[in-house]
Amino acid sequence: MQPSPIDTVITGGQVVGEDGTVAADILIRDGRIAGLVAPGLAPPADRVIDARGKHVLPGVIDVHVHFREPGMTHKEDWGTGSQAAAVGGVTTVFEMPNTNPPTDTAENFALKHDLAASKSIVDFGLYGLLGAHNVEHLEPLAAAGVIGYKLFMGNTTGDLPCPNDGTILEGFEILARLGKRCSIHAENSPILFRREHAMQAAGRTDPMAHLAARTDVVAVEALNRAATLAEWTGARIHIVHESCARSLDYIRFWKARGVDITVETLPQYLYLDAEMMLEPGGEVIRMNPPIREKAHQEPLWAGLFDGSIDMVSTDHAPHAAEEKRGADIWKVACGFPGVETSLPLMLTAVNAGRLTLEDVVRLMAGAPARAFGLFGSKGVIRVGADADLAIVDMGKSAVLSAATLHSRGKSSPYEGMTVTGLPVATLVRGKTVAKDGQPVAEPGWGKMVRQAMPAPAPRHTETTLAAITVPHQRPFAGTL
Ligand code: NCD
Ligand code: ZN
């Protein structure tokens, strides 16, 4: 049988990979990359996309977005969230379970899946919750197809109860057997609540009180507790929104010990600092974990190169504009949109000489694909991979503004900031989903991703809760 003809070619672009950039034409057939050829050698095709003067990157994979649906659609829904992603050069999102209902059972997963599949214009994975109340649902959630799990060790939007350590250990024992990665909001809830309540009792409502409640040890302690339990059980973990320079030594320590731990930071931790909270309207940057003192920024940038931080995600966390304002910091919603601005912000850093385009591809496409078992079909431009692409113009500038975001959450800490380096077209499986800053695909083009994780590697299986709650005659033949 003859293969179907090439349907699309992207000509004249600079094709960027983690290992370098080449001038090449990209051939696309049935949504996949069918070939890379020297410029000018592309065969005729129905559709020709002219990428002269542009760079073609693998589409961004953002492993941390909150699209709010079901339950909080005044903040965002799968339509608006995925449109924002597409415009931002993001072709795959992993969506968090702190919706209403939360994604805590296979049934609630199916509910969210159907909403996403009918509305999203980008591909998606859905996290299941590792919560205080649902350990018996972890396995059914895996069977239903979750991309991974989310553990909230620290309180945040949605007020989902944080599991105690016994539940976390049991949850990790189960996840280690399943082999899927658990993304972790690493903050110590009892500490942050005690400090928050003490400051509220003392009458503090100023923006800095938020940072004071969640001071560095809140993050460092939770990171190390999570890594200790992950090492013991063999669970794979991913630390979301790493904000704290003091965590980085510990991350390298756990990686050196062989713990399967990956780490993300966010553009806001690289670009913003806590003092900005004192400016008029500065409360918009309230988020969890907090944006810290400026001294954290340079170590976090360095972490992108020394192996401690694997990837850049967004924690896209939209709220209604009025929920993001107010003089009492405790009443200001936590989080702000990011999925549309992350690639422009990182491309701006490329133009400033802070990192290379190859680094951006590693941090925003390759590393997330590897950590979550997508690499090969996504996260790379090579024959056989999905044609998920961000065509970027490194010379194009824009002034960021909340009002023009495609997210329903019209607030931004980047108001008025000029970025240089913009996605001008985004393709998901060969289809153009955004062009010149506007979404162009019909709702429902997005599909749930298929994942292939390495074989599970559980440890200390003879001492798990499941093992000790069946009758035992003999002591464990334990080894160290
Ligand atoms: C997130 C949200 O609003 O869902 N908010 C935030 O401040 N980061 C939740 C989270 O990721 O903690
Ligand atoms: Zn979080």
Side-chain angles (χ1 to χ4, degrees):
M1 205 177 75
Q2 288 283 316
S4 51
I6 300 299
D7 47 69
T8 305
V9 297
I10 301 175
T11 58
Q14 299 287 321
V15 179
V16 189
E18 295 181 54
D19 53 354
T21 297
V22 289
D25 292 351
I26 302 175
L27 321 185
I28 300 173
R29 178 199 296 134
D30 297 334
R32 295 216 175 125
I33 294 169
L36 286 168
V37 298
L41 294 188
D46 286 350
R47 187 166 63 129
V48 179
I49 298 174
D50 181 357
R52 274 176 300 173
K54 316 280 193 319
H55 290 83
V56 187
L57 280 53
V60 172
I61 299 174
D62 186 346
V63 307
H64 187 171
V65 305
H66 302 265
F67 280 178
R68 306 302 194 200
E69 190 175 12
M72 294 184 256
T73 50
H74 68 288
K75 299 176 193 277
E76 192 77 291
D77 66 31
W78 276 94
T80 51
S82 69
Q83 288 176 2
V87 170
V90 177
T91 51
T92 300
V93 294
F94 296 170
E95 208 269 346
M96 289 295 173
N98 59 332
T99 45
N100 189 11
T103 318
D104 55 353
T105 64
E107 197 182 5
N108 286 335
F109 173 88
L111 171 76
K112 183 178 279 184
H113 172 270
D114 291 351
L115 289 163
S118 67
K119 292 189 174 182
S120 186
I121 65 169
V122 299
D123 284 352
F124 57 88
L126 303 177
Y127 283 104
L129 182 72
L130 192 185
H133 62 286
N134 74 331
V135 280
E136 69 279 19
H137 290 285
L138 297 176
E139 199 160 343
L141 279 163
V146 292
I147 190 74
Y149 296 81
K150 177 68 176 288
L151 164 63
F152 293 99
M153 295 173 86
N155 176 266
T156 192
T157 305
D159 285 323
L160 291 167
C162 298
N164 64 34
D165 295 342
T167 309
I168 296 175
L169 177 59
E170 186 187 355
F172 280 11
E173 289 168 355
I174 297 167
L175 299 194
R177 210 161 28 75
L178 299 172
K180 295 201 187 240
R181 196 172 291 280
C182 186
S183 289
I184 301 180
H185 180 128
E187 290 191 289
N188 179 309
S189 234
I191 296 179
L192 71 88
F193 268 131
R194 186 169 176 88
R195 295 166 68 85
E196 190 172 313
H197 293 154
M199 283 187 284
Q200 285 166 345
R204 279 194 70 177
T205 57
D206 60 289
M208 285 302 159
H210 177 63
L211 175 58
R214 293 169 187 251
T215 193
D216 295 4
V217 70
V218 171
V220 170
E221 188 281 334
L223 161 74
N224 285 302
R225 183 158 36 102
T228 300
L229 300 180
E231 177 173 56
W232 185 259
T233 56
R236 301 187 166 117
I237 61 172
H238 173 68
I239 303 298
V240 295
H241 44 40
E242 183 52 72
S243 60
C244 182
R246 288 189 215 268
S247 295
L248 300 178
D249 282 345
Y250 296 101
I251 292 165
R252 286 189 291 270
F253 168 79
W254 290 111
K255 287 188 172 188
R257 285 180 67 87
V259 176
D260 190 340
I261 175 173
T262 56
V263 179
E264 72 184 30
T265 191
L266 316 174
Q268 52 265 49
Y269 297 133
L270 300 169
Y271 274 99
L272 308 178
D273 68 80
E275 296 235 334
M276 294 173 174
M277 285 196 112
L278 302 175
E279 292 164 16
E283 70 270 21
V284 69
I285 75 171
R286 185 184 188 209
M287 67 168 294
N288 304 320
I291 287 164
R292 299 183 192 278
E293 297 83 350
K294 200 167 179 60
H296 290 263
Q297 282 178 0
E298 285 306 316
L300 290 172
W301 278 108
L304 302 177
F305 304 103
D306 68 13
S308 45
I309 298 176
D310 299 270
M311 66 189 84
V312 171
S313 315
T314 68
D315 187 11
H316 176 80
H319 298 277
E322 60 276 13
E323 295 169 333
K324 285 299 299 171
R325 281 194 291 265
D328 179 348
I329 195 65
W330 308 116
K331 298 200 171 124
V332 176
C334 295
F336 47 81
V339 77
E340 192 169 340
T341 49
S342 61
L343 183 58
L345 286 166
M346 296 311 288
L347 296 180
T348 300
V350 171
N351 275 320
R354 290 221 67 135
L355 75 174
T356 64
L357 273 173
E358 289 84 356
D359 292 325
V360 169
V361 169
R362 170 175 55 86
L363 294 165
M364 302 183 82
R370 275 188 290 275
F372 287 88
L374 302 183
F375 194 80
S377 64
K378 297 199 183 285
V380 59
I381 300 177
R382 73 178 187 203
V383 172
D386 287 350
D388 291 356
L389 304 167
I391 303 177
V392 308
D393 183 340
M394 290 303 290
K396 192 167 178 185
S397 295
V399 178
L400 298 180
S401 142
T404 57
L405 292 177
H406 289 82
S407 170
R408 194 163 285 154
K410 301 274 189 257
S411 24
S412 174
Y414 306 113
E415 191 70 43
M417 178 175 167
T418 300
V419 285
T420 304
L422 290 175
V424 292
T426 306
L427 281 73
V428 172
R429 283 174 286 106
K431 187 184 181 70
T432 302
V433 295
K435 198 169 181 317
D436 299 326
Q438 294 304 322
V440 294
E442 292 301 315
W445 177 251
K447 276 202 172 76
M448 191 162 85
V449 295
R450 273 178 306 179
Q451 168 188 53
M453 291 296 282
R459 306 181 69 212
H460 297 114
T461 50
E462 69 287 2
T463 68
T464 62
L465 202 118
I468 62 169
T469 46
V470 295
H472 269 70
Q473 266 83 51
R474 287 172 288 110
F476 303 127
T479 49
L480 284 184

